[in-house]
Amino acid sequence: MSRSTRERIVDEALRLFAERGYAATSVAEIEAAAGLSPGAGGLYRHFKSKYEVLAAAVNEHAARTRAQIAETLAELNAQSPAVVVEERLAHLCRSGLAKVRDESELTRVFFRDLSQFPELVNVVREGLLQPMFDSITTWFRAQPEYRDADLDWPGIGAVLGGAVVHYRLFEETVGEPPGRAERDRFVASWVRLALGLLPERTAAPV
């Protein structure tokens, strides 16, 4: 499906912001990357300013995240009860890694430029990051194996979700995974830690 001009502007602007930085990217460069005549004002037919393009990118990613999380949770919850808890946990972990990978451009913009726009930091926090952590809490509470586990689930979500986010950020910034633990080893270790949260009488063998 072809992208609309507005979508091309938002997507190409975010890519350029991630590569060069917000201040170093001109409106003309965004127009050229989006297939418009650079400097002819095509961007202004859709947005009032470069900032409005950035805000649109952040808000649209937040809206997409909420939809993706709802879809992923529905998919996970629809899994057959016959699927062992280890496989369900691995699916949850891999879904988180994929989501963080999908947000790599926005992540770079967030750390480089968004401190000057606290209102957009708030959108990222409430629209992307917190929903991801909340989804982990929601998922664990819905699993029959964990129903009797009397735990601080928001705290657990922060630890397990933080590990997923950190893994991808480390890869992105350092060029290799933390501890040089490749993806499958990370997922297996994440699952092993999560299995340790099971109530003793239902704990699965490792």
Side-chain angles (χ1 to χ4, degrees):
M1 184 182 296
S2 61
R3 296 178 297 167
S4 68
T5 301
R6 185 186 187 282
E7 289 171 331
R8 291 201 309 274
I9 291 171
V10 171
D11 291 346
E12 294 302 325
L14 186 62
R15 179 182 64 79
L16 290 170
F17 295 156
E19 290 176 359
R20 306 179 186 181
Y22 175 81
T25 301
S26 70
V27 168
E29 288 171 328
I30 296 170
E31 289 172 333
L36 304 172
S37 298
L43 180 146
Y44 295 108
R45 296 190 185 97
H46 301 272
F47 300 95
K48 295 177 181 177
S49 64
K50 184 172 71 169
Y51 168 80
E52 194 171 278
V53 180
L54 174 62
V58 172
N59 280 284
E60 288 172 18
H61 275 251
R64 188 183 312 161
T65 293
R66 288 190 290 271
Q68 288 173 334
I69 286 174
E71 183 180 333
T72 299
L73 284 175
E75 178 186 332
L76 289 167
N77 290 334
Q79 287 182 330
S80 167
V83 176
V84 296
V85 66
E86 291 92 338
E87 291 182 22
R88 279 177 275 144
L89 285 163
H91 191 165
L92 178 66
C93 183
R94 291 194 182 97
S95 295
L97 289 169
K99 175 58 182 171
V100 180
R101 183 184 64 241
D102 288 345
E103 299 297 341
S104 60
E105 289 180 343
L106 183 57
T107 299
R108 290 199 293 273
V109 175
F110 179 84
F111 284 108
R112 178 191 286 147
D113 294 306
L114 285 198
S115 61
Q116 61 187 303
F117 305 117
E119 69 283 4
L120 297 183
V121 171
N122 183 64
V123 173
V124 172
R125 182 180 64 246
E126 300 302 325
L128 280 93
L129 297 175
Q130 195 57 48
M132 288 178 64
F133 290 118
D134 290 344
S135 69
I136 294 175
T137 298
T138 299
W139 184 88
F140 273 99
R141 284 175 166 161
Q143 305 312 300
E145 293 87 353
Y146 292 93
R147 189 168 295 140
D148 296 327
D150 183 18
L151 297 169
D152 176 5
W153 286 117
I156 297 296
V159 172
L160 294 179
V164 170
V165 172
H166 174 263
Y167 186 89
R168 277 296 306 159
L169 291 182
F170 200 96
E171 280 187 321
E172 190 84 19
T173 55
V174 178
E176 63 179 29
R180 297 191 174 92
E182 50 84 26
R183 181 81 44 98
D184 288 343
R185 287 175 57 207
F186 173 80
V187 173
S189 298
W190 194 93
V191 169
R192 187 182 182 92
L193 290 173
L195 288 173
L197 302 170
L198 285 167
E200 212 170 300
R201 66 177 179 279
T202 60
V206 177

